[in-house]
Amino acid sequence: MILEQRSFFSTTQLALRPHGVHVSKRSATGDVLLEFEMPYEEVLPVRVERRRPTLPHRWRTWLFVLGWLVVNALGSSYVRDRLSHTVWLAATGGVLLLGLLLYGWSAWRRYFVLVTARAHVVLSDRWRQRRELHRFANKLEQTTKDYLRYHYADVNPLGLIEPQLRRLRWLRELGVITEAEARIGTVRLTGRHTDTLQGMGHELEAPYVN
C-alpha cells in the first residue's frame, strides 16, 4: 500500500514494504529531501494526531511589531495628509483584512501526524484525503502486527528460554498476541502453569524445564 501527498513545493510518499515502511520526501524538481525505511520492529505503537501549527515566539513577536508599525504609519497625520481619504481607508482596511486572514488561516490549519515508536511523519490534514490517511495508519498497524507475529510469535522449547520469554512479553505489550497466547507460549517453554511453587509455606522460584 502506498500513500502519496503532493504539494506545490514537495511530494511525500509512504510505502509498506516487506520488512518495513519506507518514507520519502522529494522537492518539486525531484531532489531527495528525506528518505528512510523504518523496520516493522520499531513501528508500534501507532497512533494518529491532528495538530495545530504554532509559530516560533520570535516570529510572532516580529509579526506583532511589523503590524504595529504599519498601523501607526497609516494612522500618522503625515501619511493621512498625503493620501486621499479613499486610499487611506482602502490601505487601512487591506492591512486589517490581511491580518484577519493570516490569523484565521493559522487557527484553521491542521496537520495530520502519523506517530510511531521511532518517528513522527507530518502530513497536511486535507479533508478529501483524511479517510485515506486513517486507512493507511490502520493498514500500517495491522501489517506490523502480522509481520511480528509471523517472525517472532513462535517458540522453541529446545532453544534458550529466557530470551523467548522476553520476546513473548514484548509481543504482549505491543498487542501483537493476546494474554492467553502469551501464557500458552510460556507454558510450552517452562513446562509449568504458574510462576512460583509452594514449598514449606514459602513461595519458591521454580527452575525452568528445558
Side-chain angles (χ1 to χ4, degrees):
M1 184 176 182
I2 296 177
L3 174 67
E4 187 172 270
Q5 189 175 87
R6 296 178 180 271
S7 66
F8 185 77
F9 299 103
S10 63
T11 299
T12 303
Q13 186 184 85
L14 289 80
L16 300 182
R17 292 186 172 180
H19 300 285
V21 54
H22 181 263
V23 181
S24 65
K25 185 174 184 179
R26 297 179 180 272
S27 65
T29 58
D31 298 327
V32 177
L33 303 176
L34 174 69
E35 187 171 19
F36 67 93
E37 183 165 328
M38 191 187 323
Y40 288 126
E41 289 85 353
E42 301 178 7
V43 169
L44 294 178
V46 176
R47 70 177 188 275
V48 295
E49 297 178 357
R50 293 182 68 210
R51 297 180 183 176
R52 178 185 300 174
T54 56
L55 289 174
H57 181 70
R58 63 179 182 275
W59 283 104
R60 285 181 291 176
T61 303
W62 279 110
L63 287 176
F64 175 79
V65 172
L66 179 62
W68 181 82
L69 291 175
V70 172
V71 171
N72 278 271
L74 290 174
S76 66
S77 58
Y78 177 82
V79 174
R80 296 183 65 175
D81 292 342
R82 282 158 178 77
L83 295 177
S84 65
H85 185 67
T86 303
V87 174
W88 180 84
L89 287 177
T92 304
V95 171
L96 293 176
L97 179 61
L98 180 61
L100 289 174
L101 288 176
L102 289 174
Y103 175 79
W105 179 78
S106 63
W108 170 80
R109 190 182 182 190
R110 297 289 188 276
Y111 285 126
F112 182 94
V113 185
L114 181 63
V115 182
T116 67
R118 177 180 173 185
H120 294 187
V121 181
V122 181
L123 302 165
S124 297
D125 186 24
R126 301 169 182 171
W127 67 270
R128 291 184 177 180
Q129 200 182 25
R130 193 171 296 166
R131 183 175 298 179
E132 184 182 0
L133 294 173
H134 283 280
R135 185 163 57 246
F136 182 86
N138 294 334
K139 182 65 175 179
L140 172 61
E141 182 177 23
Q142 188 58 51
T143 300
T144 301
K145 289 183 176 181
D146 292 342
Y147 176 89
L148 296 179
R149 174 184 288 274
Y150 178 80
H151 288 278
Y152 297 101
D154 290 339
V155 296
N156 179 14
L158 300 179
L160 295 176
I161 294 176
E162 192 60 33
Q164 295 187 78
L165 290 176
R166 288 197 298 267
R167 193 173 66 202
L168 288 175
R169 288 195 295 269
W170 171 61
L171 294 175
R172 178 67 189 98
E173 291 172 356
L174 294 178
V176 177
I177 60 177
T178 63
E179 184 67 34
E181 291 173 323
R183 183 172 296 277
I184 291 173
T186 301
V187 171
R188 286 190 61 196
L189 289 172
T190 62
R192 53 193 174 90
H193 294 271
T194 58
D195 295 332
T196 58
L197 295 176
Q198 295 291 332
M200 300 296 291
H202 300 283
E203 290 186 349
L204 305 175
E205 290 292 335
Y208 290 140
V209 179
N210 204 349

